[in-house]
Each structure stands twice: as C-alpha cells, then as structure tokens.
Amino acid sequence: MGSLPAAGESRPAAPEPVAEAPAHPVAEHSRFVQRIRRRYAAELPLLPPGVPHGQVIHALIATLEQARRPLPAALRVARQLVIERLAVLDVEQAASLSDITSAMTALAESTLERALNQALTDADARHGPPLGATGQRIDFWIVGMGKLGARELNVSSDIDLIYVYEEDGQTVGGPGGSITAHEYFTQVARQLYTLIGDVTDDGFVFRVDLALRPNGNSGPPVVSLSMLEEYFLVQGREWERFAWLKSRVVAPRAAVESGRAIALRSLVTPFVYRKYLDYGVFEGLRQLHRKIRDEAQRRAAGRPERANDVKLSRGGIREIEFIVQLLLVARGGQFPEIRTRSTLKALDKLAAGGLMKADNARKLADAYVFLRQVEHRIQYLDDQQTHLLPTVDADLAWIASSLDLPGTADEAARFDGSCMPLPEACRQPGGGLSPSCALLDRLCGVRELVATEFDALLHDGQAPAAGRSGGCRQCGDGPLAIDNETLLERLPAELADRVRAFAARPRVQALRDESKLRLGKLVLRAAGAVAKDECTLDAATRLIDWIEPLLRRESYLALLVERPEVQRRLLRLLGLARWPMRYLIRHPGVIDELADERQLRERFDRAGFVADLEERHAAWVRSGEADEGSLLDTLRRAHHAEVFRTLVRDVEQRITVEEVADDLSALADAVVDCCLRWAWSHLKQRHREVPRFAVIAYGKLGGLELGYGSDLDLVFVYDDADEADKDRAQEVYGAFVRKLINWLTLRTAAGELFDIDTALRPNGNSGLLVTSIDSFERYQRGRGSNTAWTWEHQALSRARFCAGAQDLGERFEATRREVLSMPREPEALRQEVAAMREKVRTSRPSSGGRFDVKYSDGGMMDAEFAVQYLVLAEGAHHPALLDNKGNIALLCRAEECGLLPAGVGEAAADAYRELRRAQHRARLDEQPTQFDPALLATERAAIESLWRAVFGH
C-alpha cells in the first residue's frame, strides 16, 4: 500500500489492490495480543470484565504478587493484561477514547504508586526516613507530564516524569548510614526506573523519560521545591511553560489528598500562566513547532512511509495540542475558567469562552479523537511506541475496518474530492472504497483541516503571501525595523514624518531588534490599510500615538502582530473618533475584544456577564488563587472589556445614545452586585452569610443615563430589624461599605472601575456612610428634626435600587414613591426648583456666546429640572410620573397627562434626545460641548418652551 502524503502534497501512485478486511475486526489481528494470549493465558482471567480502573489494577498487582511473582514481574504482567483488555474493548466493542486513555492513566498511576512504596521502603531500610527542618518526613512527588498529566495516556506510550521532593534535609540513618535528602531521593528515583522502565523477560511497565526535568538530561534526576522555584525564575524557557501546563502529581496519592502537594502547584501556576494576555508565547511555540516539523521531515527524507506520522507530521495530533496549549497559555492567566490539562475539555472551554468558534472546536475535537484512535491501533499491532502508519496492506485494512471505515459508495462520494482525487485502484466492484483507501483519504482530510487551523493561528511563521500589500509601495518585501530608512520611504509622507519622529525617540532606539521589527511590521500594515482605503491616514497616525505609551508592554504589540484582523479593526476604530484611543491607552488589554466580531455585534447581556464572572470566580477558588488582588483585577478587566465592546458598537453607530446609557448602566449594576457579594465574603467582621444590605443608585446611574467615565452616585442602606446588637450591625456594615468603596475605586495593575460619590446620603458628607433603612425612611419622610431638603427629593426622583437584597430594594422603591407623592405647595416648590436651577446656571456660564448643551438656557438641565418639578408637584395625582423611566419618557407622559400643552412634551423629549446625542458625539471625538447657537436652535427653542410651560418665565 502506498504511504499517505503529508497534507497539501500530491497523492502517490495508485496502490495495489488490497485484501478485504474482516467484516468484524478482532483484536487478535494484533501480533502483540497474540503473544500475550499465548504467554499469559492462565493470567488473563485474573482481570475482571470491563474497563480496568485504578482499584482493579491495584488488586490485580496484589493477586500476581500473592502468586509469588516478584514485584517487577507482577507490574509487567499486569501491564500486559490491561493492554490486551483495552485492545479488545477498543477494536471489538468500540470503547470510547476516554475509556482507553483513562484506563492507561490508571495503569500508570497504580504501578507508579506501588513502585514508589517499594522504593521508599527499601531506601528507609538502608538509610532511615529523610527529615526536614521541623523533624517531619520530607514528601516526594512523582510529577506526571504530557499525556500522563492530562490523563490522556497512549496504549504504548512512554511516561514523562519529573521527581520533586519537598525540602532539603537528612535521613535519620540506618545500615547504610545517614545521607542527604537529595542522595536519598536520587536512590529512590533510580529504583523507580528499575521497577518501571527496565526491560525483563516480562517486558517493561512503561518507558520512562526524564528529559523534561530542569536542565534536561544534564540536570539532576530529582529536584527540591526550592531548586525548581529558582529554575523557573532564572532559567525557565517558553517551551517549558507548555510542558508544565499538563503537569500534576500522580503519586503518591496521599500527597494530593492531604494537600501537601499544593506547594508545588503554587510554583507551577504562575510559571505557566501570566497575569496578562501573553501573546509573546506565539513566537516561542512557533519556533518549537518549526523544530519538531523540521525533525519529522528530516527523518522522513528518503523514507516516504515516515511522512505518515499521525502525531508529528503536518496536521497531526501534536498540532491540535499546540493550538490548545497556545490559547490556554496566552489567555489562561486572566481567564482561569479555561484552564485544564485535557485537550478535549480545553476545546470545549475555549468554545464556551468565545476564544474559538464552536464549529472549529468541534471539528478539531473530532479530528483529535480520530487521530488518537488511529494511533492506538498502530500501537496495538506490535506494542511499539510508534505513530507511523503501517505499510502492510492487511494492517491498514484492519485499522480501517476497526474504525468502521468499510468504504461504502455513500462514503466514497462523501470523501472523494475532500482532500485529493482517489486512484482507481481504491474503487471496489460495488462502487465503494477499499477500507485502506477510505482510511488514507479520511486521514488526508483530517490532517488538512488540522493544518489549516494551525497555520491560521500561528501563520506558520511565514511572510505574508505576495499581493497582500494592497497598493502600499513595496510593503510586502520582508520585515523592516521601525527606524529603517527603507521603511520610511514606503510610507505616505504625513505618516512617514510621524514615524520618523517616533523612531528617533530614545525609548524606541533602546528597544530590542525584535521589538523594532514588530513595530515596523505594524506600521507597514497600517500603510497598506490606508492604501486600500480600509482606514484613514488619521487612523494610521493615531495608531502611532496609541503605541507610544505601550513600548514597554510588548505583549500588546505581539498581539497585534499575531492577529492582523485585530489591527485592521483597531485602525477602523481609531479613524472614527478620538476618545477610543484614550480608552485604549488606559486599558490596552481590551484590544483583544476586537478579535470576536460576534461579541461586538451583540448588546450587553447582564445575566451572561454575571455568569461568566461567577465561573471565573469559581475557577480562581479551584486554583487556590481567589485572593482579593485576583478578584479586583478580574472585575476590572471584565468591566473594561464590556465598556469597550459598547464603545465599539457606539462609535460604529450600531446602537443609539439611549442604548449606550442603558447598557453602561446595566453593566455598572452588575459590577456593583458582584463586588458586593465577593467583598462580603472577604470581610473579616461579617456576622452572617448573606448581608441585609442594599445599594441605591442616584444621578446618572439612577436615571439610566450613565456615560463613559461617569461617577457613580451611591447611597447604602441596611436592615437591622433582626439584629440583636444594633450598634454591632452599624459597625459591621460601616466596615463593609468602606471595603466595598475600596473594591470599586482602587486602582490596581488592571486599572480602575469607578469614582464613587456618596454625598447624596442622608445629611450629605456629614452623615453616616451607611444608614439603616428605618433611618433612611424617617429622613426622607420628614419625621423628626432631621429631614431631607427639596433638592434631595429632586435627586430621589432619579434614584433606584441597584444591588443587594431584593426585598430591601422593593422597600426602598415603596418609600421613594411615597415621598415623591407627598403633598407640596406648587408655587413654593416652583420657586425653590427655579432658584436651584439659577444657582447652577450662574456657576457654569458659557463663554463667547456659545451654547452649552447642558448648562445654557434651553439646555438639558432645564429639561431635567422641569421633569423633577412635575414629578414632585403632580406625582400624587398622576402615578405614571413616579416611574423612574428617564427624562424622555417622563416628558411624553406629562403631556399625555395634560400637564403640558399639546406638542410641547414630545418636542422637548425629541430635543433632549438630540442634545444628548450632540454632547455624546462631541465627547467621543474629544471636542467641546459648547456649540454655535444656530446649530441647535430648534432643540433649544423646544426646551425653552417647556421651561415657560412649567415655570411661566
């Protein structure tokens, strides 16, 4: 049978006709299975029916030892019996991939556990147990790497191990004297290899590979925790982060169950996962992959059958693993919920997190399962650690048939053309495919799919294809540094001047050559986008302005280099308004949001946002990293990302100004709610599981008119009705509010959330920071000597429940409606509200005859004060005005209630909407909000008519 070509190569000459595969493939086709059945026929019944799990394997080893087999022989015979069973289950009973890999992992764990117990017992007998500084026995951990760590072990795999001991120390002594802990555990490691890896008459248990340990084969076989920590800090390389991604302690089990092995996790996690979007790892993995692919091609030179490596060849298993590991390492530092060792679970998590298209994840998962099943069948044949397709026709036909690839006519039609034309020798008389050809064609299609996905992610390290410069003069001629004069000659004159000045700055000149090349690539791409009319020249210039403050935060530049589509969308955004650039300078990590256009199109989903945050919180807890710092950064990154998505929708005019305010307000509510719940769990003084506490929003947040960067006007209340100690409740909730404000305002490495203003609480800045709901109600209702002012009732008209105990929110709303409905003398109220408006007007004069859309006569504030008067004066008679629905809706309702002349309310509502839009657009482009009066004369006149209708002057 001819060999399978690498994906993208032409198919070899037609194979010779092949023998028919058995209708029902049997495991006994495997030479390995035949040998085991001949040699261990008496022992095969010792393994109970079904998939072998850990307890079964432990019992099997014990039974073999009781039958007077030495431990090394018992371990090896157990291994042979388990793999024979798996061959039967896999080939004859279509067991799942997870059944096979979990059983192989259980075999490794069980044999290592038993071997370790024996090695420690023997070493103790010679030298006594090793003790640390506190006199406690020093723990020793076998760390499984790769597929063993991920519980994905092959049926004929080696096992990658690293041996770690807890701390330095000394043994207590024995017949062999006292030795250091390092010497003791080196002896243990040596005996482990003898018990597991040596080849005897019964074979071996597992081939053991220690090459992934610190300093590789030149390093010591065992390392202490402190040695490992120093290695990670000083010498740890990028590729080792991918290796440690799948690491876990596989023996002894007691170390995992007792929690002693957590100390190792606390070293490994920050080494693997960085606290930022780590796109710098792309180049490291690209180089590693290039070495692996070059080595595979070197081995295949002159031996075409070696191109059929289902693991290492182009489009093989390793490329799927690389795709997954790359995304996990790049994003797992900020998104702990995607962390996992399992390749298939990772694909599900990446899709669920929006980091990979669901269809792509499904296809890669299907490809992974198929390739792993082919790999297992290759290894069943002779128990060889190989991933090469066999060249014997009968073996190929057996593999194909065991995978249910009979080559029916329908399948021939489905696969024909999916990869490359099928030779006639593959056709069977009935019109179907021979099993071997069906296998080869399926493999070809699967590998092409995988290779395409891999190259799309890593670009395979290749330069852009010719013709992609889009008219940019010579933009595609290879990488050029940012300070290279040839690069400057290829840019439009205005951009070249900006780049020349930028490149001459000392900070740019001090960059590494690699960084200068990155910058050059980004600038040439921007020039290409200008040439193709994909962005304006202003956008390209603003890109330089955005890059300049980020020169020392290279991960963001790496992201743009690795994600050209993100740079294209960034340029488009920068060309639409100025304020997005300022936001991106403050929060550069949000540019990654441009990678997912689906999320940019969708409106804010509060339930989904909170669910994502809770999943992330649970992941921090699982990883032992749910400290306050991690949670504060998590909240900030999530908030910044969602604000940016809203900003993009806004600038691209996919949503209205009102929808922007609605979404930003809902986002603030969600963040405050999460902060409240998470901060309470970290309050040392908390006296109950769930606080009887509520946050009340006033101002722009209360009126659902929040803008970018708006302060939050908040009031805090609690219920102490069931508290035995009222003073204690006040003390606890006072401490909690201080903590909550700190969580909401503190600037961390991830940035800030909000500025908080609590001046609207009872008695303002001289009042208590948090008030009982009873006291709040008495203050607002005017009972007693301490009562609210009229302006506080004006503010109450825009207040609403924001977060906390829902029943307290309902109680607040009932109080709000009652207070707003209280009888008031209309003329006195009119004069008081008008006086307050005049006070604001005189404090914010507009210069040069310009019209300030907010503060000038006929501006938004006139409309807001008119609405507040109508609510306070008429709310008792017209309950529809008591609903907190915003100024636009309330103006229309006031007209419907007959409180305004016909047309005045609607005209004022339309004018208010347009003034908000004008203010909003000006701020987005960093322009003043004072306009030529002629531009908004109609809107101003409508608001002035409203004022006259309400206040009479």
Side-chain angles (χ1 to χ4, degrees):
M1 169 62 69
S3 63
L4 174 68
E9 297 177 4
S10 61
R11 186 183 287 278
E16 297 176 4
V18 299
E20 283 192 30
H24 301 287
V26 293
E28 197 165 356
H29 178 88
S30 155
R31 274 81 68 181
F32 166 74
V33 170
Q34 294 171 21
R35 291 196 302 271
I36 298 307
R37 290 178 176 177
R38 285 195 300 269
R39 180 163 183 181
Y40 300 110
E43 287 81 6
L44 283 170
L46 296 177
L47 190 60
V51 178
H53 53 76
Q55 290 182 338
V56 168
I57 295 170
H58 274 296
L60 175 62
I61 295 169
T63 300
L64 290 168
E65 287 189 90
Q66 290 166 6
R68 299 184 179 277
R69 285 187 183 270
L71 177 61
L75 295 174
R76 283 155 178 77
V77 173
R79 184 255 185 194
Q80 317 293 26
L81 301 184
V82 167
I83 296 183
E84 187 275 344
R85 169 65 55 77
L86 295 181
V88 172
L89 293 173
D90 198 354
V91 174
E92 298 180 9
Q93 300 179 28
S96 68
L97 175 64
S98 62
D99 282 344
I100 304 304
T101 55
S102 62
M104 282 304 302
T105 301
L107 174 65
E109 292 172 345
S110 299
T111 53
L112 285 169
E113 183 87 21
R114 180 64 185 89
L116 177 59
N117 287 340
Q118 188 63 51
L120 292 173
T121 299
D122 293 349
D124 282 359
R126 292 190 299 270
H127 305 290
L131 304 182
T134 63
Q136 185 180 23
R137 183 181 182 114
I138 300 171
D139 225 0
F140 177 80
W141 306 314
I142 301 177
V143 181
M145 310 289 282
K147 288 185 169 63
L148 173 57
R151 298 182 173 88
E152 299 171 337
L153 208 56
N154 294 336
V155 293
S156 190
S157 178
D158 61 357
I159 50 176
D160 296 298
L161 303 178
I162 295 177
Y163 300 130
V164 181
Y165 60 95
E166 208 168 15
E167 60 177 314
D168 291 320
Q170 196 82 15
T171 66
V172 299
S178 176
I179 58 176
T180 66
H182 187 82
E183 293 170 321
Y184 173 93
F185 290 120
T186 298
Q187 291 184 18
V188 170
R190 191 177 300 123
Q191 188 172 355
L192 278 172
Y193 186 86
T194 300
L195 290 170
I196 298 293
D198 274 358
V199 179
T200 70
D201 287 345
D202 292 302
F204 56 86
V205 187
F206 286 98
R207 306 171 188 88
V208 177
D209 190 340
L210 303 180
L212 292 178
R213 68 187 186 271
N215 295 305
N217 291 328
S218 63
V222 298
V223 294
S224 68
L225 267 180
S226 60
M227 293 167 63
L228 182 63
E229 180 177 23
E230 182 179 5
Y231 180 81
F232 282 162
L233 291 173
V234 178
Q235 301 182 56
R237 291 160 288 183
E238 289 291 342
W239 70 263
E240 289 177 291
R241 295 172 61 196
F242 296 99
W244 280 91
L245 170 69
K246 294 188 174 186
S247 65
R248 66 182 175 93
V249 174
V250 296
R253 184 66 190 167
V256 179
E257 293 173 346
S258 68
R260 288 184 72 172
I262 289 177
L264 176 62
R265 184 180 69 180
S266 67
L267 291 185
V268 172
T269 300
F271 175 66
V272 174
Y273 298 110
R274 305 293 161 83
K275 292 294 186 183
Y276 50 84
L277 293 177
D278 191 7
Y279 277 83
V281 299
F282 273 62
E283 185 57 35
L285 186 59
R286 184 181 289 122
Q287 293 173 4
L288 175 61
H289 175 261
R290 195 178 298 129
K291 290 179 182 178
I292 292 173
R293 187 176 279 184
D294 290 347
E295 175 62 18
Q297 291 173 349
R298 185 191 64 77
R299 290 200 310 268
R303 302 184 64 182
E305 73 278 2
R306 286 191 171 270
N308 301 335
D309 190 317
V310 297
K311 178 179 180 180
L312 299 180
S313 292
R314 173 171 157 81
I317 296 167
R318 179 59 55 84
E319 293 194 351
I320 301 177
E321 294 172 338
F322 275 178
I323 290 170
V324 168
Q325 291 169 12
L326 183 58
L327 292 173
L328 290 182
V329 171
R331 303 297 299 267
Q334 290 190 6
F335 301 94
E337 67 271 23
I338 68 172
R339 297 179 190 175
T340 181
R341 301 177 183 91
S342 162
T343 301
L344 291 174
K345 288 180 181 177
L347 287 168
D348 286 341
K349 288 175 177 286
L350 290 168
L355 302 177
M356 179 182 288
K357 293 180 179 177
D359 188 53
N360 290 3
R362 180 187 57 78
K363 288 178 179 177
L364 286 175
D366 291 345
Y368 181 77
V369 170
F370 177 74
L371 291 171
R372 289 295 307 273
Q373 289 178 327
V374 172
E375 176 187 47
H376 283 167
R377 281 150 179 76
I378 292 170
Q379 295 174 349
Y380 288 139
L381 286 169
D382 295 293
D383 191 26
Q384 295 295 311
Q385 187 191 2
T386 179
H387 315 280
L388 299 175
L389 276 182
T391 56
V392 177
D393 292 342
D395 289 345
L396 283 171
W398 176 75
I399 292 174
S401 298
S402 71
L403 291 169
D404 197 24
L405 290 174
T408 64
D410 287 344
E411 286 184 329
R414 177 155 54 97
F415 290 115
D416 197 358
S418 65
C419 184
M420 54 192 68
L422 292 170
E424 279 306 313
C426 284
R427 309 288 181 183
Q428 291 188 331
L433 296 177
S434 68
S436 300
C437 287
L439 171 65
L440 294 179
D441 197 63
R442 174 74 67 87
L443 272 170
C444 184
V446 165
R447 285 174 51 189
E448 187 64 37
L449 180 148
V450 173
T452 299
E453 289 294 324
F454 182 85
D455 290 346
L457 182 64
L458 271 186
H459 316 302
D460 200 27
Q462 303 299 314
R468 291 186 185 175
S469 63
C472 174
R473 291 172 292 166
Q474 307 171 19
C475 280
D477 287 350
L480 292 171
I482 189 70
D483 54 358
N484 188 301
E485 194 61 35
T486 303
L487 178 144
L488 296 173
E489 293 172 357
R490 297 177 180 179
L491 305 179
E494 184 178 335
L495 182 60
D497 290 342
R498 178 69 182 91
V499 172
R500 184 177 285 106
F502 170 70
R505 295 184 184 278
R507 291 179 64 203
V508 177
Q509 289 298 309
L511 293 174
R512 296 176 299 134
D513 289 344
E514 178 187 0
S515 300
K516 292 181 180 180
L517 288 172
R518 275 180 179 162
L519 290 172
K521 181 177 288 189
L522 295 177
V523 167
L524 283 176
R525 276 193 201 154
V530 172
K532 291 185 287 186
D533 288 329
E534 293 179 350
C535 75
T536 64
L537 189 57
D538 280 347
T541 303
R542 289 174 187 169
L543 178 69
I544 306 301
D545 296 337
W546 176 74
I547 287 174
E548 191 163 353
L550 302 175
L551 289 175
R552 298 200 180 278
R553 304 174 74 174
E554 294 191 28
S555 61
Y556 301 117
L557 305 183
L559 184 155
L560 289 184
V561 170
E562 298 297 340
R563 310 291 291 273
E565 75 282 4
V566 172
Q567 185 182 355
R568 285 195 296 272
R569 292 169 190 156
L570 174 62
L571 285 166
R572 182 185 64 195
L573 182 65
L574 293 176
L576 294 174
R578 295 175 183 271
W579 196 80
M581 184 183 74
R582 304 297 176 203
Y583 193 81
L584 284 162
I585 288 174
R586 294 207 311 271
H587 311 298
V590 299
I591 59 170
D592 195 51
E593 300 303 319
L594 293 171
D596 189 351
E597 279 201 295
R598 175 182 56 84
Q599 289 192 338
L600 296 178
R601 288 193 299 268
E602 296 173 354
R603 291 281 302 278
F604 173 64
D605 173 12
R606 174 172 176 165
F609 177 81
V610 172
D612 288 345
L613 277 178
E614 290 301 335
E615 184 181 3
R616 201 158 302 147
H617 181 271
W620 286 126
V621 172
R622 287 196 302 272
S623 66
E625 300 173 86
D627 57 274
E628 290 196 33
S630 294
L631 299 183
L632 289 172
D633 286 346
T634 293
L635 288 164
R636 281 149 180 76
R637 292 191 188 105
H639 178 258
H640 299 158
E642 199 58 57
V643 168
F644 183 67
R645 291 173 191 155
T646 300
L647 175 61
V648 173
R649 299 176 198 124
D650 180 12
V651 170
E652 294 182 348
Q653 298 187 19
R654 300 186 186 194
I655 54 178
T656 66
V657 175
E658 290 84 357
E659 289 171 332
V660 170
D662 287 345
D663 287 357
L664 292 178
S665 300
L667 172 61
D669 286 354
V671 171
V672 171
D673 182 58
C674 279
C675 270
L676 189 158
R677 288 182 286 104
W678 295 2
W680 180 259
S681 68
H682 285 264
L683 182 70
K684 293 178 181 178
Q685 302 99 311
R686 72 180 185 275
H687 61 307
R688 58 195 306 157
E689 193 64 28
V690 178
R692 296 286 301 148
F693 179 86
V695 180
I696 309 302
Y698 280 70
K700 290 185 177 180
L701 178 58
L704 300 175
E705 294 182 352
L706 205 64
Y708 304 112
S710 293
D711 295 354
L712 302 189
D713 293 297
L714 302 180
V715 169
F716 306 102
V717 297
Y718 67 92
D719 180 16
D720 61 359
D722 63 348
E723 301 282 358
D725 187 342
K726 307 293 187 183
D727 292 337
R728 171 64 176 159
Q730 174 69 49
E731 180 183 331
V732 170
Y733 287 117
F736 177 53
V737 167
R738 289 190 292 273
K739 187 178 194 68
L740 179 59
I741 291 175
N742 186 59
W743 273 51
L744 289 167
T745 60
L746 182 67
R747 183 175 182 84
T748 73
E752 70 290 327
L753 279 175
F754 306 105
D755 287 328
I756 304 297
D757 190 339
T758 62
L760 292 175
R761 66 187 187 269
N763 297 305
N765 289 330
S766 62
L768 295 172
L769 200 56
V770 59
T771 309
S772 73
I773 188 68
D774 288 338
S775 298
F776 178 86
E777 290 171 346
R778 286 195 299 270
Y779 180 82
Q780 293 293 342
R781 289 168 177 157
R783 294 174 184 170
S785 59
N786 187 27
T787 62
W789 295 78
T790 298
W791 67 264
E792 291 179 276
H793 287 172
Q794 287 180 247
L796 191 65
S797 71
R798 288 162 58 87
R800 63 181 178 83
F801 169 71
C802 172
Q806 187 67 41
D807 63 317
L808 284 184
E810 294 169 359
R811 182 171 168 181
F812 162 78
E813 177 59 18
T815 299
R816 188 187 78 91
R817 298 176 77 91
E818 177 188 338
V819 170
L820 296 180
S821 301
M822 290 192 306
R824 294 173 177 87
E825 203 286 308
E827 187 55 35
L829 177 64
R830 184 180 290 110
Q831 292 178 8
E832 197 169 354
V833 173
M836 181 64 66
R837 171 67 181 104
E838 183 61 27
K839 184 177 180 181
V840 175
R841 180 185 292 108
T842 55
S843 68
R844 304 297 294 263
S846 181
S847 59
R850 308 284 286 178
F851 172 59
D852 188 311
V853 295
K854 184 170 181 65
Y855 295 105
S856 292
D857 290 346
M860 291 188 292
M861 187 158 281
D862 278 357
E864 292 165 0
F865 272 69
V867 168
Q868 290 164 17
Y869 169 79
L870 291 170
V871 170
L872 293 176
E874 303 291 345
H877 309 295
H878 302 282
L881 297 180
L882 300 179
D883 297 336
N884 188 350
K885 294 296 184 181
N887 291 302
I888 293 173
L890 291 178
L891 283 168
C892 294
R893 289 188 181 188
E895 182 176 326
E896 292 169 1
C897 293
L899 301 176
L900 294 171
V904 169
E906 287 197 13
D910 291 341
Y912 186 81
R913 180 184 293 111
E914 190 56 42
L915 294 179
R916 279 186 63 190
R917 185 178 296 118
Q919 179 192 55
H920 186 72
R921 295 299 169 201
R923 287 176 174 172
L924 279 180
D925 207 31
E926 297 186 334
Q927 299 298 319
T929 57
Q930 292 82 36
F931 295 84
D932 181 339
L935 292 177
L936 296 166
T938 302
E939 289 75 19
R940 186 177 191 178
I943 300 294
E944 289 175 336
S945 295
L946 169 68
W947 183 268
R948 287 192 297 271
V950 174
F951 294 98
H953 59 84

